[in-house]
Amino acid sequence: MPKTQINLEGWQDYRGNITGALLYVETSHQSIVPVRDQLNENGKGCFFEPNYETSTYGLISCCNAKNMNSIVKNKSRYVLFGTRYEGMSASDFKNKYVIMGYMRIDKIKDVRTRHIQKYMATPGATEPECMQLEKDMAVWGPMYFVALEDSFVISDELLKEWDYKGRATRQLKAVFREEHLNIILGHLNSKKNMIEEYVATVEEYKEALVESDGATEST
């Protein structure tokens, strides 16, 4: 269950195909579980997506808007969250491309106006990606995230065996067909859902950000 229940008024029901679109997540180097990079450790910004707390992607912030618009347009029912693991665990998963979780899209909403209004009201804010787009689709649905050692490894060899183009890099935009999606979901679903640990970890990071901002303001 998400930590925060959101108001779903205005969201549209979504019926997608049984395919799974891979979406790369910048993840933290300071945790064992591959949570999103909320502290800008990768130098690519502070990320609040996927938002485990509300079971959404793209609602809290304008993130990967083009990719999410494409996923919704192409009717993939599942978003598979992958990353190149660089966290604190010294396990065999280090530097491997892993799928650590997924969400099933049940509802969608165009949140472009929301993000542009937030940008306009925040002096010095970076212009959101959706400023140049006609839509900015946010998605909501059940999320499932597993421990690092329970992740599903994506390798160049596996992609070739399954007949997908590309390599296991952050640029990979694979959409897994039902046959292979079921293998990935079956693996993840056979493991314990660790979503509460993911939430607890990012909550600690949020507190660190607040403390850091407070220290900056007092100097």
Side-chain angles (χ1 to χ4, degrees):
M1 291 294 291
K3 178 181 175 65
T4 304
Q5 299 294 327
I6 64 170
N7 182 1
L8 292 173
E9 183 177 350
W11 289 71
Q12 299 176 342
D13 290 338
Y14 179 84
R15 296 289 182 269
N17 303 317
I18 309 300
T19 56
L22 189 61
L23 196 64
Y24 192 86
V25 180
E26 296 291 344
T27 47
S28 173
H29 300 178
Q30 300 183 38
S31 65
I32 293 179
V33 291
V35 297
R36 65 182 187 240
D37 178 9
Q38 200 164 275
L39 302 178
N40 193 22
E41 298 169 45
N42 294 287
K44 299 181 182 297
C46 299
F47 289 88
F48 291 86
E49 314 292 343
N51 197 261
Y52 324 112
E53 306 93 300
T54 59
S55 208
T56 61
Y57 192 103
L59 174 66
I60 304 302
S61 63
C62 181
C63 181
N64 274 325
K66 286 184 180 179
N67 289 336
M68 191 54 67
N69 286 350
S70 177
I71 289 171
V72 171
K73 181 180 179 180
N74 292 322
K75 293 293 185 181
S76 284
R77 185 67 191 272
Y78 292 87
V79 181
L80 305 173
F81 298 111
T83 194
R84 176 75 63 182
Y85 183 73
E86 299 179 84
M88 292 182 66
S89 173
S91 70
D92 292 338
F93 288 86
K94 200 80 168 181
N95 296 319
K96 290 185 177 179
Y97 194 117
V98 300
I99 295 177
M100 64 285 193
Y102 70 88
M103 74 179 297
R104 187 187 72 214
I105 305 176
D106 283 358
K107 292 181 180 293
I108 60 173
K109 185 177 184 180
D110 186 353
V111 292
R112 181 176 182 273
T113 299
R114 169 193 174 100
H115 291 317
I116 290 178
Q117 288 177 343
K118 182 179 179 180
Y119 162 67
M120 299 296 288
T122 309
T126 302
E127 181 179 301
E129 177 187 348
C130 60
M131 199 79 164
Q132 307 302 322
L133 302 175
E134 293 183 1
K135 293 183 178 181
D136 181 6
M137 302 307 296
V139 297
W140 174 92
M143 285 186 174
Y144 201 101
F145 282 83
V146 301
L148 173 64
E149 61 271 18
D150 293 333
S151 299
F152 187 91
V153 177
I154 295 291
S155 65
D156 294 347
E157 293 75 18
L158 180 67
L159 291 170
K160 184 177 181 179
E161 179 186 336
W162 284 1
D163 196 26
Y164 291 94
K165 295 181 179 179
R167 300 181 61 191
T169 68
R170 70 179 66 239
Q171 285 79 32
L172 182 63
K173 297 292 191 296
V175 177
F176 291 101
R177 300 182 290 274
E178 182 175 0
E179 172 190 1
H180 302 127
L181 171 66
N182 286 338
I183 293 174
I184 297 170
L185 295 184
H187 173 88
L188 296 175
N189 287 333
S190 70
K191 312 301 182 181
K192 181 180 179 182
N193 190 353
M194 301 292 288
I195 188 74
E196 291 184 0
E197 183 172 345
Y198 280 70
V199 171
T201 301
V202 296
E203 289 293 339
E204 290 179 6
Y205 288 173
K206 286 179 185 178
E207 292 175 4
L209 286 172
V210 171
E211 291 175 0
S212 176
D213 290 342
T216 301
E217 292 174 358
S218 63
T219 56

